[in-house]
């Protein structure tokens, strides 16, 4: 991804301005790390709409959440292109897939959903932005 967007994103995640949520980009109260990226794209003028949509969570509950264009769980293509995600390399890149120094692969959506804090995710973005 673009290094300047990675730094902007990491700084925003560390800012304390966002509550963290899981499973969706933006549940109306909090955002996942990728939802924060969507908000930065909007602030930068990327033309995406924000809508309320019905979402069923893994635990069986359901509620209205915010969707960016039609996406409530992964960023829309316009955001990914703006951020410079390496989409041609990996079809699953929309979830923030990256490669650790060991060669193991992970993704930011999984780290967010499994308890990694925004500050910890910011450190991952700074270190591995070249493979995102």
């Amino acid at each position: 991804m673009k290094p300047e967007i990675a730094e902007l994103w990491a700084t925003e995640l560390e800012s304390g301005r966002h509550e963290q949520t899981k499973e969706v980009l933006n549940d109306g109260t909090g955002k996942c790390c990728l939802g924060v990226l969507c908000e930065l794209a909007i602030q930068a003028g990327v033309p995406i709409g924000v809508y309320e949509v019905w979402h069923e969570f893994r635990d069986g509950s359901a509620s209205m959440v915010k969707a960016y264009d039609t996406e409530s769980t992964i960023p829309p293509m316009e955001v990914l292109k703006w951020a410079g995600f390496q989409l041609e390399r990996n079809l699953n890149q929309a979830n923030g897939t990256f490669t650790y120094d060991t060669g193991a692969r992970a993704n930011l959506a999984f780290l967010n959903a499994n308890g990694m804090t925004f500050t910890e995710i910011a450190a991952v973005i700074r270190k591995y932005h070249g493979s995102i």
Side-chain angles (χ1 to χ4, degrees):
M1 78 178 295
K2 297 174 185 172
E4 66 275 12
I5 303 297
E7 183 57 35
L8 178 70
W9 187 16
T11 300
E12 189 65 20
L13 288 171
E14 295 168 328
S15 72
R17 289 189 283 265
H18 306 278
E19 293 293 321
Q20 191 169 5
T21 194
K22 300 175 182 179
E23 289 190 49
V24 293
L25 295 169
N26 183 336
D27 66 10
T29 304
K31 299 170 190 73
C32 80
C33 61
L34 294 165
V36 173
L37 182 65
C38 291
E39 290 294 324
L40 289 173
I42 290 169
Q43 290 171 16
V46 176
I48 57 173
V50 180
Y51 309 96
E52 287 196 353
V53 298
W54 192 252
H55 181 82
E56 187 172 323
F57 292 88
R58 289 185 198 122
D59 67 3
S61 65
S63 67
M64 296 299 285
V65 300
K66 295 187 185 236
Y68 298 90
D69 280 347
T70 60
E71 303 292 346
S72 62
T73 59
I74 59 170
M77 189 61 65
E78 293 85 357
V79 172
L80 302 173
K81 288 179 180 176
W82 167 78
F85 277 42
Q86 297 179 25
L87 299 169
E88 68 285 345
R89 191 193 67 191
N90 183 349
L91 293 177
N92 294 320
Q93 199 62 33
N95 61 16
T97 299
F98 65 96
T99 305
Y100 283 109
D101 295 336
T102 62
R105 297 187 60 84
N107 70 70
L108 299 173
F110 178 82
L111 299 179
N112 187 94
N114 286 282
M116 190 173 270
T117 67
F118 277 170
T119 300
E120 292 167 326
I121 292 170
V124 169
I125 291 167
R126 282 193 177 101
K127 185 169 183 178
Y128 297 108
H129 72 273
S131 71
I132 296 175

